[in-house]
Amino acid sequence: MKILVATEKAFVAVAVKQIREVVEAAGHELALLENYKNVSELLAAVADADAMIVRSDLVTAEVLDAAKKLRIVVRAGAGYDNLDLAACTAHNVVAMNTPGQNSNAVAELAFEMMLYQARGGFGGKSGSELRGKSIGLHAFGNVGKYMAEIAKGFGMDVYAFDPFVNEKDIEKQGVKVCKSIEDLYSACQYVSLHMPANDKTKKSIGYDLLRKMPSDAVLVNTARKEVIDEDGLLKIFAERPDFKYLSDVEPDCKAQFEEKYKGRFVFTAKKMGAQTEEANINAGVAAAYQIADYFKTGNEKFKVNK
Ligand code: 3PG
């Protein structure tokens, strides 16, 4: 079988080497399409692929139409909002993700941005510390758990809200459970977002929630820019000079932040959460094993489409 790694944002070389080893040991062939610039390159590359590993690359109906032999696509990462799941199902393609494999990298980036902002971008002026501050984890999945561990190490007071996770499982980690989303935002100076982007969560974080945050509020977004209602965010920024926003990828309204709110935001130019050697290896190799196992035994454990 031909397994295509199609990554607009390439994995580090050592991860590709290990993916190749897994693929070849299972008797398959690896094809690479890295750092591609146009969808036409992807359409050409998928034409003879039996399986595909992607990152945030868009797997649309057009891509699937071009992938005549494709049986499985694995998103090497957690969020699969880049996969058109209905189109995968319609094309008889199994779609999977690799949950948890890059979560520590994402949690570390959240803290890197928080520390950078707390120390004023290392500009030489006195900043603030994380110890003793409150942090609210909005969603308590794989990234949320790493966040809690790191936050406790910094001596922060950790809260979480996640209606899909058993309260006892949250409390076991030394984290206080908030009964409502409003309670979380009211209690915490820092709020860090860890939910997927879907129809329910898109634009769900807006003015009414953000206005509940205490003074010197910091919203940290390593989830997806789409979960933010940017009109609401701009409204709170205009009202509250103490409010800060740290985001892994620039919001659509970046120009307004640059014009009016210098010093109150940190944005990465390209999504950086999973950009570590370890995360690339963990997610890429897990994807390769899942594909090899699917071809060998039909294992669909991480399937995300119907
Ligand atoms: C994820 O959902 O796993 C992260 O956002 C990582 O995305 P990336 O592979 O495009 O860096």
Side-chain angles (χ1 to χ4, degrees):
M1 302 284 183
K2 187 179 247 187
I3 300 175
L4 172 70
V5 173
T7 46
E8 178 270 323
K9 190 172 66 186
F11 290 123
V12 290
V14 62
V16 176
K17 181 173 171 280
Q18 292 190 31
I19 293 168
R20 182 182 297 284
E21 283 165 8
V22 173
V23 166
E24 291 179 354
H28 305 302
E29 183 194 340
L30 189 82
L32 276 180
L33 175 70
E34 295 180 303
N35 304 310
Y36 62 92
K37 300 279 176 266
N38 299 304
V39 73
S40 58
E41 294 172 67
L42 178 59
L43 297 180
V46 294
D48 62 350
D50 300 283
M52 178 160 61
I53 296 173
V54 295
R55 294 185 64 179
S56 288
D57 308 77
L58 295 182
V59 179
T60 60
E62 185 188 23
V63 172
L64 294 160
D65 281 342
K68 298 276 179 256
K69 296 171 68 188
L70 196 70
R71 288 171 54 194
I72 174 168
V73 56
V74 181
R75 190 282 192 249
Y80 46 86
D81 45 310
N82 54 316
L83 309 180
D84 183 334
L85 295 186
C88 287
T89 304
H91 286 77
N92 288 316
V93 170
V94 170
M96 295 186 184
N97 67 346
T98 65
Q101 299 292 348
N102 57 20
S103 306
N104 182 64
V106 176
E108 285 192 15
L109 181 77
F111 276 88
E112 284 151 7
M113 292 197 294
M114 286 160 62
L115 291 165
Y116 181 81
Q117 184 275 324
R119 292 302 181 101
F122 307 140
K125 290 194 179 141
S126 284
S128 58
E129 301 180 20
L130 298 184
R131 179 169 295 278
K133 305 288 168 24
S134 51
I135 182 167
L137 307 174
H138 188 163
F140 199 72
N142 290 308
V143 182
K145 288 189 189 105
Y146 281 113
M147 289 292 297
E149 204 177 298
I150 301 171
K152 283 185 289 173
F154 273 105
M156 299 185 86
D157 204 8
V158 192
Y159 297 76
F161 171 78
D162 192 328
F164 302 104
V165 179
N166 189 298
E167 288 188 10
K168 289 207 170 60
D169 290 337
I170 298 178
E171 283 162 354
K172 253 192 275 176
Q173 321 253 348
V175 174
K176 298 181 190 80
V177 174
C178 288
K179 299 279 181 208
S180 73
I181 190 170
E182 287 80 13
D183 285 355
L184 185 84
Y185 283 71
S186 303
C188 299
Q189 180 186 345
Y190 286 83
V191 169
S192 190
L193 308 177
H194 301 293
M195 73 287 278
N198 56 36
D199 291 345
K200 289 217 171 68
T201 62
K202 279 182 189 166
K203 289 195 185 227
S204 64
I205 313 300
Y207 180 77
D208 287 343
L209 272 181
L210 299 176
R211 63 191 283 272
K212 296 196 180 303
M213 290 179 72
S215 57
D216 292 322
V218 183
L219 179 67
V220 187
N221 183 6
T222 54
R224 290 289 184 271
K225 69 175 179 179
E226 289 82 1
V227 302
I228 303 289
D229 167 13
E230 292 193 5
D231 290 340
L233 180 68
L234 287 170
K235 188 169 172 200
I236 199 84
F237 259 70
E239 267 178 26
R240 283 189 40 185
D242 64 308
F243 207 100
K244 315 236 171 25
Y245 182 47
L246 318 179
S247 176
D248 185 17
V249 311
E250 298 159 338
D252 295 335
C253 59
K254 175 189 135 188
Q256 292 172 68
F257 273 87
E258 285 185 334
E259 189 194 323
K260 297 185 197 153
Y261 303 125
K262 278 255 153 48
R264 293 173 53 195
F265 64 89
V266 176
F267 302 148
T268 57
K270 198 148 183 126
K271 191 140 69 82
M272 287 291 296
Q275 286 293 68
T276 65
E277 196 172 288
E278 294 87 343
N280 286 183
I281 293 171
N282 292 345
V285 168
Y289 274 122
Q290 286 172 214
I291 289 170
D293 199 28
Y294 176 72
F295 284 140
K296 193 170 174 200
T297 69
N299 187 348
E300 295 188 344
K301 179 168 174 206
F302 294 102
K303 185 175 175 182
V304 292
N305 60 332
K306 298 245 164 41

